[in-house]
Amino acid sequence: SLEARELTRVYRMGSEEIRAVDGVSLTIGRGEFVSFVGPSGSGKTTLVNLLGCLDNPTSGELHLAGRSIFGSGHILSEKDLTRVRRELFGYIFQNFYLIPTLTVRENVALPLAFYRKPETEEEVDRLIGMLGLEQRRNHLPRQISGGEMQRVAIARALVNRPEILLADEPTGNLDTKRTEEIGEVLQELNRSRGLTIVMVTHNPGLARLGERIVEMRDGRAFEA
Amino acid sequence: SLEARELTRVYRMGSEEIRAVDGVSLTIGRGEFVSFVGPSGSGKTTLVNLLGCLDNPTSGELHLAGRSIFGSGHILSEKDLTRVRRELFGYIFQNFYLIPTLTVRENVALPLAFYRKPETEEEVDRLIGMLGLEQRRNHLPRQISGGEMQRVAIARALVNRPEILLADEPTGNLDTKRTEEIGEVLQELNRSRGLTIVMVTHNPGLARLGERIVEMRDGRAFEA
Ligand SMILES: Nc1ncnc2c1ncn2[C@@H]1O[C@H](COP(=O)(O)OP(=O)(O)OP(=O)(O)O)[C@@H](O)[C@H]1O
Ligand SMILES: Nc1ncnc2c1ncn2[C@@H]1O[C@H](COP(=O)(O)OP(=O)(O)OP(=O)(O)O)[C@@H](O)[C@H]1O
Ligand SMILES: [Mg+2]
Ligand SMILES: [Mg+2]
């Protein structure tokens, strides 16, 4: 479903060259739950941003459901790339990027303004309830805790019932109990809805929820 | 050394009243290493901000080395409060608040511009080395990973060799190995230098490094 071939992302800073992602090839099948682990700075966020079509690789190819997204001489237009992102993906970023001027509920509902699948209106309140945000629905991001912000980001990523969830450290700010709950929610969505999950995590317990663990080290990926 | 009596912080939003910290009384002795744990939203960040003189309580008292900071009819001037913060405390915030236009090295060195103890210039490079940031010293915050940003925040908090370190979830974005290393660094500073450590963490292993664990629930604190 998601196929990367020799995906590479190089940052050039003056004379310095940083190979943040260094020739990564892997396939993530539809409905798989894959965990990415590895030391801080090993390239997990960079790789996940490439897989999620949020960043362009320096070289290499990305294919989505057989369609070429990057590479092989064929580049998707910005407009088509945007459509792919909205229709297929849900994102949980390592920095939550909540809109400071929108309430919790408005932040969760935001993706619906750009693209709405049928029957997703109820998802907003269902997810808010599931993630324990009921009492904070009208608060602004600066009026909630760090873990509450993280939960808003999780709800927002799921509101459009995406086919592929990209989750970059979704529980770093949460206590053990909530982390386990989030883990169960993700596992349930994977099993019952076939949600494809690409998750970066430093939490070994959470990583084991996936059926597959990919380890990153210095921009390279290794099947664990 | 740090004494709180009935410390309370209430947020009022329209008709709603949120008792984020609800009558907390505790004493943290000089050189103690205390871990605060508890569910997301239980008031840990709010309490730690009060203890670190970053926020004013709605009611209750705070005494620092016998000196009254808040409460008992005696309020410190903004100027004196600022001096207390700079001379006594190092802060690691849950959101790192790095200055986007300053490099890693400049961010770490920033507290020295406001207040400098003798012989702290070498601390900048020593901490950068200790936290594995050597290769990123000239990068801007947007050019480093999430865990690297967290490490910059840790280095910056320690650069002025503070007497009291307030650390709000200092390792949420770090892998297990780095988390253990940070834990050892903190333990070492506590033992060899008598650094008083007030740490919020969701990581049970890290919490146990402290000699005391305080649990928070709905704004109240309980000795574990
Ligand atoms: N400015 C504010 N206005 C209203 N409510 C607030 C404000 N800031 C925090 N709160 C609420 O106060 C409570 C305590 O927040 P706090 O940030 O101290 O929690 P926490 O224990 O640090 O949580 P986490 O583990 O998620 O970081 C939360 O329920 C939060 O929604
Ligand atoms: N814009 C940039 N310019 C230069 N180097 C960058 C840039 N963004 C990231 N890097 C570097 O690329 C490497 C990989 O970064 P990435 O954010 O993917 O790591 P990560 O595995 O997600 O780390 P963490 O676990 O700390 O979040 C890091 O060493 C980082 O410093
Ligand atoms: Mg990252
Ligand atoms: Mg907090």
Side-chain angles (χ1 to χ4, degrees), chain B residues 175-186:
Chain B
D175 52 276
T176 314
K177 179 157 172 286
R178 284 244 177 247
T179 297
E180 287 174 1
E181 289 169 0
I182 305 286
E184 286 165 12
V185 168
L186 294 182

Side-chain angles (χ1 to χ4, degrees), chain A residues 31-201:
Chain A
E32 269 198 288
F33 188 155
V34 187
S35 297
F36 283 83
V37 301
S40 170
S42 54
K44 307 179 295 299
T45 292
T46 307
L47 177 63
V48 162
N49 285 347
L50 290 172
L51 296 178
C53 306
L54 290 169
D55 187 20
N56 290 24
T58 309
S59 65
E61 304 171 19
L62 185 72
H63 305 273
L64 204 50
R67 238 166 104 201
S68 174
I69 307 287
F70 299 122
S72 52
H74 170 132
I75 304 274
L76 238 64
S77 72
E78 215 26 69
K79 182 156 163 294
D80 285 336
L81 210 56
T82 302
R83 246 186 66 231
V84 165
R85 283 195 291 259
R86 287 180 182 170
E87 291 177 18
L88 285 181
F89 289 99
Y91 304 93
I92 301 169
F93 300 99
Q94 198 168 7
N95 296 312
F96 318 128
Y97 297 126
L98 303 184
I99 311 287
T101 46
L102 299 181
T103 67
V104 161
R105 193 180 186 288
E106 289 165 342
N107 266 287
V108 173
L110 194 59
L112 301 183
F114 296 100
Y115 171 72
R116 182 191 301 241
K117 283 187 183 163
E119 301 163 26
T120 38
E121 193 60 53
E122 308 90 63
E123 274 303 273
V124 179
D125 296 311
R126 200 180 72 81
L127 286 161
I128 282 178
M130 199 199 311
L131 288 160
L133 293 167
E134 261 297 323
Q135 306 298 323
R136 300 287 175 266
R137 40 197 292 127
N138 296 316
H139 287 223
L140 296 174
R142 63 178 169 73
Q143 296 170 327
I144 59 181
S145 76
E148 287 163 346
M149 283 195 259
Q150 191 148 38
R151 285 182 262 149
V152 176
I154 293 168
R156 178 183 63 187
L158 295 171
V159 76
N160 241 334
R161 289 200 250 116
E163 292 195 24
I164 305 170
L165 174 70
L166 287 158
D168 195 351
E169 315 248 15
T171 62
N173 278 290
L174 299 175
D175 52 275
T176 314
K177 179 157 172 288
R178 285 244 178 246
T179 297
E180 286 173 0
E181 288 169 1
I182 305 285
E184 284 165 12
V185 168
L186 295 182
Q187 219 170 16
E188 175 55 23
L189 290 169
N190 176 244
R191 285 172 186 163
S192 67
R193 250 192 235 171
L195 173 66
T196 306
I197 299 180
V198 179
M199 178 173 72
V200 174
T201 182

Side-chain angles (χ1 to χ4, degrees), chain B residues 48-110:
Chain B
V48 162
N49 286 346
L50 290 172
L51 295 177
C53 307
L54 290 168
D55 186 21
N56 288 24
T58 309
S59 64
E61 304 171 21
L62 184 72
H63 304 274
L64 204 49
R67 241 164 101 201
S68 174
I69 307 287
F70 299 121
S72 53
H74 169 132
I75 304 275
L76 238 64
S77 71
E78 216 23 71
K79 183 157 162 292
D80 284 337
L81 210 57
T82 302
R83 245 185 67 231
V84 165
R85 283 195 292 259
R86 286 178 183 171
E87 290 177 18
L88 285 181
F89 290 99
Y91 304 93
I92 301 169
F93 300 101
Q94 197 168 6
N95 297 311
F96 318 127
Y97 298 125
L98 302 185
I99 311 286
T101 46
L102 299 181
T103 66
V104 160
R105 193 179 188 289
E106 289 166 342
N107 266 287
V108 173
L110 193 59

Side-chain angles (χ1 to χ4, degrees), chain A residues 145-147, chain B residues 44-46 94 168-169 200:
Chain A
S145 76
Chain B
K44 306 179 296 298
T45 292
T46 308
Q94 197 168 6
D168 195 350
E169 315 248 14
V200 174

